[in-house]
Amino acid sequence: MEVIFVLIGVSLVLAGGFLVLFFKAVKSGQYDDQHTPAMRILFDQKTKNKTKNKTPKKTK
């Protein structure tokens, strides 16, 4: 029975360590996307151009 308490304690310490390491990696910018902004210029933006040209014309 004592082994279960030891295993639960070890698993909580280990999970807490992984959580701290995850937050440290996120804070340091390891998960920032560096590839997508460079590729964005290669794609057309047809949807933005169509919405800008749709202005109602005034009729007299």
Side-chain angles (χ1 to χ4, degrees):
M1 189 68 172
E2 294 87 21
V3 175
I4 292 175
F5 294 127
V6 171
L7 288 176
I8 289 173
V10 169
S11 66
L12 288 176
V13 169
L14 191 63
F18 282 126
L19 187 64
V20 168
L21 288 175
F22 173 73
F23 283 130
K24 185 177 177 183
V26 168
K27 194 172 189 177
S28 70
Q30 185 173 353
Y31 292 110
D32 288 345
D33 187 14
Q34 301 287 329
H35 184 68
T36 302
M39 298 294 290
R40 192 174 297 151
I41 196 168
L42 300 175
F43 299 111
D44 288 334
Q45 296 180 352
K46 293 179 182 178
T47 57
K48 287 186 179 180
N49 292 337
K50 287 182 181 177
T51 57
K52 287 182 182 178
N53 293 333
K54 289 187 177 180
T55 57
K57 294 182 180 179
K58 294 181 180 178
T59 57
K60 289 186 177 181

